[in-house]
Amino acid sequence: MPHAIWKGAISFGLVHVPVALYPASSESGVDFDWLDKRSMDPVGYKRVNKRTGREIDKSHIVKGVKVDGGDYVVLSDDEIKAAYPKTTQTIEIESFAHADEIPFTLLDRPYYLEPLAKGEKVYALLREAMLAAGVIGIARVVMHTKEHLAALIPSGPALMLNTLRWAADIRPWADINLPPEGRKGVNLKEAELKMAQQLIGDMTEPWKPEAYSDRFTEAIHALVARRVERGETEQVEPMEESGSTGPSNVVDLTELLAKSLKGKPAAAHKPAARKSPARKRA
């Protein structure tokens, strides 16, 4: 059973859908640990003064932000903590949009949303209504002290949450040298274009994600398995390791939807509603 990393509710007008958030992806790369080849002890990182090369105590470290001119503004932990967005345990839908309006460059990380506390009906209502309209929801959510923009996406039986990169995080292509748009910019010949289109057509096939895999990871795992089979392993003594639920009451759905359509104010505990987008089933 996967572990829920966040619990709260989807805010849809005056309606709340209690949900749990689960990761929908995993990293498939190889995790290399650093070891001291002389003793097979784990190797960690040190806090080192880059000018003197000397290790320093954690208590002497402060956080600074570099500004124009090369100077730094030093901020205390309390100042940084005060700037964190307030956790509301709410996925607040601000607006809806058509899926093809969201550039793929903004997509970041996918999550599954599971209904909680008898919220299945409202969950299904939101999913089916979005599918019928052909839209996805654009929402804000705070996870791990960081505010995210996210797309709420109906996909099969699930509502998925895909965090989005902020538009300001995407670098403009004007910063790099690109050929001008259109055929005439680089004097493309009609024959060249036809041959390229024919090659693309010959290589076009239905998308099958299972047909692609991480060859490097597979090769490393195969190599490790062969070494294990031959008994070529080293013993490493393990080091000691340091070791809210959203609203649950489901009220009259029809009444809440009607009030939302009439534009009546949301519950007092909610911040002022902002407007945002949404998307359809994959």
Side-chain angles (χ1 to χ4, degrees):
M1 179 68 181
H3 176 67
I5 63 171
W6 184 94
K7 290 184 179 181
I10 301 170
S11 175
F12 172 46
L14 296 181
V15 179
H16 277 64
V17 187
V19 291
L21 189 75
Y22 295 89
S25 63
S26 60
E27 300 295 333
S28 59
V30 179
D31 185 13
F32 290 103
D33 290 332
W34 286 10
L35 304 171
D36 186 330
K37 69 177 183 180
R38 301 166 297 178
S39 61
M40 286 296 115
D41 289 330
V43 175
Y45 292 95
K46 288 185 177 181
R47 299 178 179 88
V48 176
N49 183 312
K50 291 183 178 180
R51 189 179 304 280
T52 65
R54 296 176 182 173
E55 186 176 359
I56 61 175
D57 188 83
K58 181 180 178 181
S59 62
H60 294 149
I61 297 176
V62 294
K63 296 181 176 71
V65 178
K66 194 173 185 178
V67 296
D68 293 341
D71 291 341
Y72 282 83
V73 173
V74 175
L75 301 176
S76 69
D77 289 341
D78 287 341
E79 288 175 316
I80 295 172
K81 186 177 180 180
Y84 283 151
K86 299 298 183 288
T87 300
T88 62
Q89 297 305 112
T90 302
I91 299 170
E92 183 182 352
I93 298 177
E94 297 187 347
S95 66
F96 293 90
H98 294 285
D100 57 9
E101 296 180 60
I102 311 299
F104 74 91
T105 51
L106 294 183
L107 297 176
D108 187 19
R109 186 178 294 270
Y111 298 89
Y112 290 118
L113 290 169
E114 175 188 55
L116 296 176
K118 299 181 180 180
E120 292 86 355
K121 181 177 180 181
V122 192
Y123 182 100
L125 171 68
L126 179 56
R127 180 193 65 204
E128 297 305 317
M130 290 169 64
L131 283 169
V135 296
I136 62 174
I138 303 301
R140 290 177 187 263
V141 60
V142 176
M143 293 188 291
H144 309 304
T145 69
K146 184 177 180 181
E147 184 180 49
H148 298 268
L149 188 65
L152 186 67
I153 306 166
S155 178
L159 280 175
M160 298 191 69
L161 190 79
N162 201 309
T163 53
L164 301 174
R165 298 181 181 92
W166 301 101
D169 293 340
I170 302 299
R171 294 172 178 170
W173 58 53
D175 294 342
I176 60 176
N177 294 320
L178 298 173
E181 293 184 80
R183 305 181 186 184
K184 296 181 180 179
V186 288
N187 297 319
L188 290 177
K189 297 178 181 178
E190 188 65 28
E192 294 171 333
L193 190 58
K194 284 184 177 180
M195 285 189 291
Q197 290 173 330
Q198 181 179 348
L199 178 59
I200 291 172
D202 292 343
M203 296 177 64
T204 300
E205 58 185 25
W207 166 240
K208 298 177 181 178
E210 65 278 4
Y212 302 89
S213 60
D214 183 346
R215 294 174 179 174
F216 171 74
T217 298
E218 291 175 350
I220 293 296
H221 285 319
L223 176 59
V224 170
R226 290 195 297 271
R227 294 287 181 87
V228 170
E229 188 176 353
R230 294 199 297 261
E232 298 175 359
T233 61
E234 301 287 347
Q235 283 195 339
V236 177
E237 186 173 346
M239 305 290 289
E240 291 185 5
E241 297 182 1
S242 58
S244 104
T245 306
S248 60
N249 296 327
V250 179
V251 297
D252 190 309
L253 182 56
T254 303
E255 181 182 354
L256 286 177
L257 290 170
K259 288 182 178 179
S260 298
L261 289 172
K262 291 178 181 178
K264 293 191 175 182
H269 70 278
K270 285 188 57 185
R274 310 181 201 105
K275 293 188 176 180
S276 324
R279 156 181 169 193
K280 63 187 172 188
R281 174 181 290 175

